[in-house]
Amino acid sequence: FGSRRPFVPSPPIQQPHHSSARFKMVEAKDVLREQGWDKGIVVFGMLASESTVKVSTAVKLLQEQEGFPYKDSVQWVDLSFDSKPLSEKKGKKSMGVNGDTWMALSNGKGFMPGITIDGELMVDAYAIVQHLWKLFPDPSLSDQEKQKVQELLDLNSQTTERLLQALKHWGWAAMNGKKKNYLEFGYGKKDLAWEQDAVKVVDDFFRSLEETLKAKQESGSLNGFFVGNKMTLADCALLNWAASFKLVIGLNVKKRYPLVWETHELMKKKAPAGSKDFYGTF
């Protein structure tokens, strides 16, 4: 894909939250209740992170959507890549992903981002956005547009793990190779067959996006959005990929997938709510 040019490390591959021990479940629920996180929506993450930005933009978008029941009941908690204990400063709560509080909430995994909806926690970025779509589909979209949003969310969910592995292998491992989530990736760690398959998965993913955008271009509606004439949760789920592959591994997205890159640039100019920190980093 190009030169190894790691920039900002990203959270490890996300997995769904499941409590494996009763005492951990009780402890997590106690924390949520004590902090007032058992009602409404609470978003946990680092806003500059390419995983968190999917969730932050999705929630901000939903707050503008007609009929969204949590419009005025969303809290934000900053997470950092350390063991900092839960603290509050000027009304803003924060903690480290390796600290006791987040470890209790994430069942000892320390993954980010996370979201609670009335006390139910998820810590899987692509699953979170897809879940939000299932709960709160945009009523202003046509049936055809809703179907396209679903298709793009499905594509993102089915491909995210392999995309993240490719970014780790050709990018992040050079910076984080000694960390447990990166040990299996990097120069000499995978055989040629694995690398060829990973390249194919990445290429197929971007080609699928390119075909979606080509249809929009032909209809004269290439406008920075993957579906229709407004931002959807599909845009939130896909928002990071062009920048991630360009900056982390040096993939020439602009040359290989020009419409994907143009859409990325248009979205960056729009700077939707929840994306400022991400675009300031990438």
Side-chain angles (χ1 to χ4, degrees):
F1 280 125
S3 59
R4 296 179 176 85
R5 301 193 310 168
F7 275 64
V8 179
S10 181
I13 294 173
Q14 309 296 312
Q15 299 293 337
H17 169 78
H18 297 290
S19 295
S20 58
R22 183 175 180 81
F23 79 91
K24 288 185 178 180
M25 188 183 303
V26 172
E27 182 181 358
K29 288 185 175 180
D30 288 344
V31 171
L32 292 173
R33 184 177 61 255
E34 291 167 2
Q35 297 299 325
W37 297 337
D38 58 336
K39 303 294 182 185
I41 287 180
V42 186
V43 180
F44 304 86
M46 177 184 288
L47 292 179
S49 158
E50 58 212 295
S51 293
T52 300
V53 72
K54 300 171 184 284
V55 179
S56 60
T57 53
V59 172
K60 289 289 189 181
L61 181 63
L62 288 174
Q63 285 183 284
E64 300 299 320
Q65 181 172 296
E66 182 181 354
F68 182 59
Y70 298 97
K71 188 180 297 286
D72 300 315
S73 54
V74 176
Q75 300 180 62
W76 303 83
V77 180
D78 290 333
L79 296 180
S80 51
F81 293 110
D82 53 33
S83 301
K84 186 175 70 173
L86 175 64
S87 62
E88 183 172 354
K89 185 176 181 180
K90 296 182 179 180
K92 188 78 170 179
K93 294 181 179 180
S94 63
M95 58 182 158
V97 293
N98 297 317
D100 292 342
T101 303
W102 187 243
M103 280 295 178
L105 292 177
S106 64
N107 196 25
K109 294 181 174 65
F111 295 163
M112 77 153 91
I115 190 172
T116 58
I117 303 177
D118 291 332
E120 294 296 323
L121 177 70
M122 296 183 71
V123 290
D124 185 322
Y126 60 82
I128 290 171
V129 177
Q130 192 149 29
H131 186 60
L132 290 173
W133 169 253
K134 180 180 179 181
L135 293 177
F136 314 112
D138 187 343
S140 71
L141 299 178
S142 68
D143 289 343
Q144 184 178 6
E145 288 170 336
K146 289 178 181 178
Q147 181 179 352
K148 190 60 182 179
V149 170
Q150 185 64 62
E151 289 175 1
L152 289 169
L153 289 174
D154 288 343
L155 173 66
N156 185 68
S157 293
Q158 293 160 6
T159 318
T160 287
E161 185 171 349
R162 293 306 308 277
L163 297 179
L164 289 175
Q165 288 178 351
L167 288 170
K168 285 185 174 185
H169 184 65
W170 283 292
W172 295 323
M175 179 184 292
N176 301 296
K178 294 183 179 180
K179 296 180 180 179
K180 63 179 182 179
N181 293 312
Y182 297 84
L183 290 175
E184 65 180 290
F185 301 103
Y187 183 77
K189 298 290 185 67
K190 298 293 186 181
D191 60 26
L192 179 60
W194 185 96
E195 293 186 329
Q196 289 175 329
D197 184 63
V199 168
K200 184 178 186 305
V201 169
V202 173
D203 184 53
D204 287 348
F205 173 76
F206 278 110
R207 287 183 182 277
S208 293
L209 298 185
E210 193 78 0
E211 287 302 311
T212 293
L213 295 170
K214 187 177 295 184
K216 294 201 69 182
Q217 183 186 49
E218 291 172 354
S219 65
S221 59
L222 194 66
N223 52 13
F225 306 124
F226 278 95
V227 180
N229 297 313
K230 61 181 294 188
M231 188 166 178
T232 69
L233 292 187
D235 296 303
C236 300
L238 300 169
L239 187 144
N240 72 296
W241 293 122
S244 293
F245 274 88
K246 178 182 185 296
L247 293 176
V248 176
I249 67 174
L251 177 63
N252 193 340
V253 179
K254 183 177 181 179
K255 180 179 179 180
R256 290 174 178 266
Y257 318 103
L259 299 182
V260 172
W261 187 254
E262 183 176 350
T263 297
H264 159 72
E265 291 286 274
L266 288 170
M267 181 62 76
K268 187 173 183 178
K269 288 180 180 179
K270 297 177 191 296
S275 68
K276 179 181 177 181
D277 290 355
F278 168 76
Y279 284 130
T281 301
F282 283 80

